[in-house]
Amino acid sequence: MENELKKYKSLFGLLGKHIAYSFSRGYFSDKFKSLKLNDHFYTNFDIPTIEDFPKIIAKNPNIKGMNVTIPYKEAVIPHLDKLHKKAKKIGAVNTIKIQEDGTLKGYNTDCYGFKKSIKPYLKKHHKKALILGTGGASKAIAFVFEELNIDYKYVSRKPKNDQSISYRDLSEKIMKSHPIIVNCTPLGTFPKIEDCPDIPYKYVSKDFLLFDLIYNPSETTFLKLGRLQGAEIANGYKMLEFQAEKAWKIWNS
């Protein structure tokens, strides 16, 4: 496969672990085909540890850019030469540009994609949010909520500070005062589609907006349980499209 990749003028890829399901490879493969960019190729770099990342760069001198997914959005940062100001503030990277001088610069397009995709759903009473999970993606979500002046709390199995609470602390009062709930955990991703975050769905109502970063399946159990309570729901597909296009612009700038 390594020799096969070298024949392309411009190589791109997704860095992650257990990413056979990846949206990015299909999206960019279709994009290159429609643009007739036959010398461009997009592949998955599925690695067991972030320590293997430098080998990918060394073995593929034709690589121009990468997307980054679970679990390396934070772990990849020490391996980069520069960070865009938003990526630095967020503390997570999901797009890497290999610059002309060979240096690696990290960007965060999660924040762009999330903001563009959630804004059409927001209503006046959406003043507070719960962010389920504390990984790299959740940091971008928090960044957007700060920009939109929406108060938020992280929900975690092991809360680390006063900005986060545990799942067992999700009382009726807390739930009803935080009508936006964003799932940043992998719970419910195909093939384990029956899984979902352990929150008291009985307190969800028509005033709620449930947003899941997962896109496969299109309606996760988390979203289904919200819909059955009358909530408005949205999955992560549009977010992925927005951030993919933003990454493409970065790679070509």
Side-chain angles (χ1 to χ4, degrees), residues 6 13 19-22 42 56 72 126 131 135 149 159 162 166 220:
K6 286 177 181 173
I19 50 173
Y21 62 87
S22 148
Y42 194 103
I56 294 171
Y72 300 131
H126 288 143
I131 301 172
N149 292 314
D162 58 5
S166 71
T220 57

Side-chain angles (χ1 to χ4, degrees), residues 60-219:
N60 297 286
N62 55 338
I63 197 162
K64 308 294 184 188
M66 301 178 82
N67 297 116
V68 186
T69 190
I70 294 172
Y72 300 131
K73 291 185 181 187
E74 297 161 290
V76 76
I77 290 176
H79 297 276
L80 305 178
D81 300 296
K82 299 174 185 175
L83 289 182
H84 181 267
K85 59 184 178 182
K86 282 191 178 180
K88 193 171 187 178
K89 190 171 182 182
I90 292 167
V93 162
N94 75 317
T95 301
I96 299 169
K97 179 180 181 180
I98 290 80
Q99 302 186 114
E100 288 185 11
D101 62 359
T103 57
L104 278 55
K105 186 171 182 178
Y107 295 80
N108 190 298
T109 66
D110 277 335
C111 56
Y112 173 83
F114 179 66
K115 191 173 187 178
K116 288 269 288 183
S117 54
I118 198 172
K119 277 184 86 172
Y121 294 95
L122 295 177
K123 297 180 173 65
K124 286 184 179 179
H125 67 276
H126 288 143
K127 304 287 188 190
K128 291 186 176 183
L130 295 174
I131 301 172
L132 310 182
T134 55
S138 69
K139 291 183 172 183
I141 305 313
F143 179 85
V144 170
F145 283 147
E146 286 172 13
E147 286 190 326
L148 296 172
N149 292 314
I150 293 173
D151 291 333
Y152 63 88
K153 281 192 178 295
Y154 290 107
V155 184
S156 169
R157 285 174 296 177
K158 296 177 181 177
K160 295 175 183 174
N161 51 46
D162 58 5
Q163 192 68 38
S164 58
I165 58 174
S166 71
Y167 283 91
R168 63 179 175 272
D169 292 329
L170 290 175
S171 63
E172 181 177 2
K173 182 181 178 182
I174 290 174
M175 287 288 290
K176 288 188 174 178
S177 62
H178 293 77
I180 305 172
I181 307 178
V182 182
N183 178 34
C184 299
T185 78
L187 291 169
T189 307
F190 182 83
K192 296 184 178 180
I193 60 172
E194 71 287 345
D195 291 351
C196 65
D198 185 16
I199 64 172
Y201 294 92
K202 62 184 178 181
Y203 300 132
V204 173
S205 70
K206 62 180 175 57
D207 294 327
F208 278 67
L209 167 61
L210 269 61
F211 194 109
D212 202 327
L213 301 198
I214 295 168
Y215 64 92
N216 184 14
S218 58
E219 185 180 84

Side-chain angles (χ1 to χ4, degrees), residues 6-57:
K6 286 177 181 173
K7 72 179 185 182
Y8 295 99
K9 178 187 172 187
S10 298
L11 179 65
F12 302 87
L14 177 68
L15 183 73
K17 190 174 183 179
H18 306 313
I19 50 173
Y21 62 87
S22 148
F23 161 92
S24 301
R25 181 167 60 178
Y27 185 85
F28 281 107
S29 296
D30 289 345
K31 186 176 185 68
F32 297 161
K33 196 173 181 180
S34 68
L35 294 174
K36 295 183 169 54
L37 295 171
N38 299 325
D39 56 356
H40 286 47
F41 189 75
Y42 194 103
T43 190
N44 283 349
F45 293 108
D46 199 319
I47 55 175
T49 168
I50 196 61
E51 303 309 319
D52 291 331
F53 171 66
K55 297 175 194 171
I56 294 171
I57 302 299

